Amino acid sequence: MFIQVDRATKRYKSGDVETIGIQQATLELAKGDIGVILGPSGSGKSTLLNMIGGIDRVDSGKIIINGINICAMHEKELTEYRRKQVGFIFQAYHLISHLTVQENIEMISQISENPLPMDHVLSAVGLTDKANRFPRELSGGEQQRVAIARSVIKNPQVLLCDEITGALDYASSIQVLEMIQEINRTYGTTVLLITHNQAIAAMANNVYQFRSGEVTEVRTNSQPVDARGIVW
Amino acid sequence: MVLNNAVWRTIKEQKGQYVGLILIIILACFGFVSFGMLGTNLQTVCDAYAKQTVQEDLQFETMQSLGDLRAIGDAVHATIEESRSYDEVFEGRTLRVFSENHSVNRPALLEGTPLSDGHILIDPQYAKSNTLRIGDPLTVAGKHFEIAGFVALADYTYITKNASDLINDSKSFGVAVITRNDFSANVQADSIRYVVKFLDGSKDVFTQGALLKKYLREHRIGIDYANWSYALNNARINTPVLKTKSVKAFSAVMPIMLLLASCVMIGLIVRRLIKTQAGQIGTLYALGYRKSELIRHYLRYPLVISVVGAVVGTILGIWVYPTLLIYYLAYFPMPIESATLVPGIIAWGLILPFMLLIPFSFFVIWNILKSSPISLMRGEMSVRKPSWLERSLKLGKVSFSLKFMLREQLRSLPQLFFLMVAIAFVTVFLNVGMIIKHSFDALASEGIKSTFDYQYEYLFKQPIQSPVPSGTEPLDVVFVQSDQNKQQQIELIGIQERSSFIHLLDGEGNPLDVDHQDAVILSKSLVKSLHADVGSFITFTETNVTDKSFTLKVTAITTSPTGAQVFVPLATLNQIVGLPFGSYAVLISNYGNVPVSKDQRYTMRSLHESSGNMQNMLQQVMAAVYVMMFVSILIALVLIYVIASITVQENQAQISLMKVFGYRMHEIKSMILNPSGVGVVLGYMLGIPVTLYVTQGVYQQIMDSMNLTMSIQVNGWYFLVGFVLVYGTFECSKLMCISRISRVSMSETLMVGRE
Ligand SMILES: Nc1ncnc2c1ncn2[C@@H]1O[C@H](COP(=O)(O)OP(=O)(O)O)[C@@H](O)[C@H]1O
Ligand SMILES: [Mg+2]
């Protein structure tokens, strides 16, 4: 298995109040597969994704990526892990407003060992002619495509997508999902995608149902559909 | 209002910025109060001293006694008194002992008991340098005296051996006073001067002086007076007055500059703060808060800073100024009752920060809060539109880090601009002292020495015609004034043709000589003050003896570091003033034992001494230069740190994102903080020409006061060292910001878009 999460638990303390992020969550995903995490708001989906992405640490349990337990890593090793293996895409795009589209992407390519060619990536997300625009001058869908290009240019092993269609209209959403699928097919990138839109689950190999910090159900699709064919 | 509880919390969170800012304000108020009160107190002390001692307006010497001083005084509305002195020389030290004066330049007792027969009062600097205490014995002209106390003499406030000396050396020269009885009974005076206090307040001293001179000449009293010297031009008397003026100027200029810098900084900080809290503000607006309430809230920040800075700075100033006063008065001994507080200065010290910071902050806050609540809430200000400059900047192939750096700068032009200006100022303060010191060194070690290339001067009381001993050269000096500038005393010097001791150079460095009888070489400093040039005719009037006028045509200008001097052949000078051929009044030589016939009265002056004094003074100056450099670096550190830490705050989201994407700490650090380096480097470069300009001005002032001309000598190394210091400061401030960067958490990124 490429991604193995074994009874991972994370609690947040603020003052006397303790909230459960995830509780004994267990999950597995094979290399090159797409996994979709479904679940209500506050059920711990993002928490889990952040643990897998190495931006937060579990209290207990194990997270093994490509055979290596990232929970045992030092801060510096975690940085290297994020730098070399992980691509992140967020609902809120998080582009840097005073850098152009191309510069936003370059910001990642310049720290990658084997970045994909810039032209290639730009045209893959259909933004070749907008490379010199600033984020403010783009639509939401376009901005999310910049974020995709940015996370993909380093050719990551794992692509983590947190509600990336949450703020987009239907057409833009489908476009974005198609791109994710395309990346998965072309580069064999393992994709873990959070959504609370049931329909999107159709494109996954594995679907994980989350409830109160736990994976309550795992389904396997033998025949994932093309993103283009998803309707809601 | 709820927000107000947040003031202290915010200040604590960003304590580096606020502490830095408060430090600058403390420095400003401290400077204002301490130097302001120092200036005012010095002024008071000088005024009181002049009054108490009946300080002279004028002094002069004559060949013959003036006779009835009272009659002359009555005729010209003045008090005139004789001032007799005797130089007691032993072991290379000179103690100039005066006979006690009663009506002009009365000695002022600083410590000990009043003067009585058998006792002597000495100046405290000499006493200290030579470890003499009250009660110690002291021998003058073979007679034993007991030191009864310390004294200040009104015509020796700045105690120098020769009137033209720039620097005092209390180890080798001091003044003292004994009673008239003791003086006439034991001592043969070797100098008799007349000291004059004018009484007619309606005329200036120069006018009254001219009247006195006219009276003396008309009545043929005295004849041949020399060294006619007004107190206003007498360095021994006016040095403390001039110092007082510069202290006062400094106390106003430096703090205001610092406060202006604080204004800009608080502006940047508050702007940043409001932007960070824009969402909150929008909500408060929506809940019905008024703009004035919000403005009042944000004004609390400059208010808190000003209160702390003003109070601490003012208290420090009040605490330190007596020490400064004592330090100054050690150089210019004058009696002082006690240091007095000046309420006006304290009040201004307390108010000034508010007067500048509050209106400025008000303007900044008011300007930001103009936005509508909705746009504030949407945080539109934090996702600002790229300016046309940013948009039109097309960066094709350059490296990403360069692009990033440029974008960062364009995004925060006001910060860049402020940093540049601030660093330029720091550069000036950092380098001015060094350059002036270096120029002085050059002047002392090469300039003056190579121009006046001899060791000893033999100054005769009267022009003589004896044969010139071998190994010496004759010259003569008369004092003249020009119609162009009546206040300036000019030396007309007759020198020997092809002099081997005096080497004058023209602007190109070629030697000049008085090689024909009409040769007239003007010193560069006179070119400006007399508006003269090669070929001009200048009318001079001989001021000491004859009041004769004559016109000379300038044949050359010398740029050698000479005073206000005009050089002509000795023979020509003798002819002009009507002295017999072959007359001279000075011999210059490298020998200290030139055979001069016994009946010629003369004094010998060694130029060695004065260059030793120069070294002494340079050491004192260096201490001041180092303090100034230290303070500049401190200010630079605070300024750069505040800017850097605002930059970190402004880029929090970006830093967080960079961490998520796997940027290493040192990469983040250099990408976020290095762009400020542009401002530092540009500022320093901008500062170099400004420094040269300012330094030239300051140096010119000093040179003018010494009647010298010489431009500054710049050594590139100083600028390099200065740059290393400033850049080191920048690196330091970066180090100070690292912890702030590492504290930015990755969840910062993830928070947005949650819920
Ligand atoms: N940094 C945090 N500090 C405190 N509580 C947190 C933090 N992150 C998440 N939580 C809490 O953990 C739970 C799971 O949150 P999250 O993983 O974001 O859910 P989801 O992404 O499924 O909506 C929630 O109750 C949330 O409030
Ligand atoms: Mg979430």
Side-chain angles (χ1 to χ4, degrees), chain A residues 185-202:
Chain A
R185 286 173 184 168
T186 317
Y187 301 106
T189 316
T190 311
V191 178
L192 202 48
L193 194 147
I194 292 178
T195 180
H196 47 235
N197 186 338
Q198 295 280 349
I200 294 176

Side-chain angles (χ1 to χ4, degrees), chain A residues 12 19-21 40-48 162, chain B residues 747 751 754:
Chain A
Y12 293 105
T19 5
I20 293 170
S41 190
S43 60
K45 308 183 294 292
S46 298
T47 305
L48 180 67
D162 194 346
Chain B
S747 52
M751 287 304 200
R754 164 182 291 277

Side-chain angles (χ1 to χ4, degrees), chain A residues 80 83 94 103 106-107, chain B residues 403 407 663-664 667 749:
Chain A
E80 295 307 306
R83 184 183 180 105
H94 290 311
E103 287 160 1
E106 269 180 85
M107 185 168 158
Chain B
K403 278 185 203 176
R407 294 258 180 236
Y663 267 81
R664 299 174 186 135
E667 291 168 335
T749 302

Side-chain angles (χ1 to χ4, degrees), chain A residues 50 55 79-80 82-83 88 90 94 96 98 100 103 106-108 110-111 134 136-137 150, chain B residues 383 385 390-391 400 403 407-408 411 654 657-664 667 746 749-750:
Chain A
N50 294 346
I55 46 181
T79 302
E80 295 307 306
R82 291 197 301 271
R83 184 183 180 105
F88 257 114
F90 306 97
H94 290 311
I96 293 177
H98 63 281
T100 63
E103 287 160 1
E106 269 180 85
M107 185 168 158
I108 302 305
Q110 68 127 14
I111 57 161
F134 285 91
R136 259 183 83 99
E137 301 162 335
R150 179 174 67 177
Chain B
V383 195
K385 253 188 235 159
E390 290 176 77
R391 245 176 298 146
F400 177 74
K403 278 185 203 176
R407 294 258 180 236
E408 275 298 310
R411 196 162 72 108
Q654 198 173 319
L657 199 61
M658 287 166 107
K659 286 187 174 178
V660 168
F661 287 139
Y663 267 81
R664 299 174 186 135
E667 291 168 335
M746 284 184 274
T749 302
L750 314 167

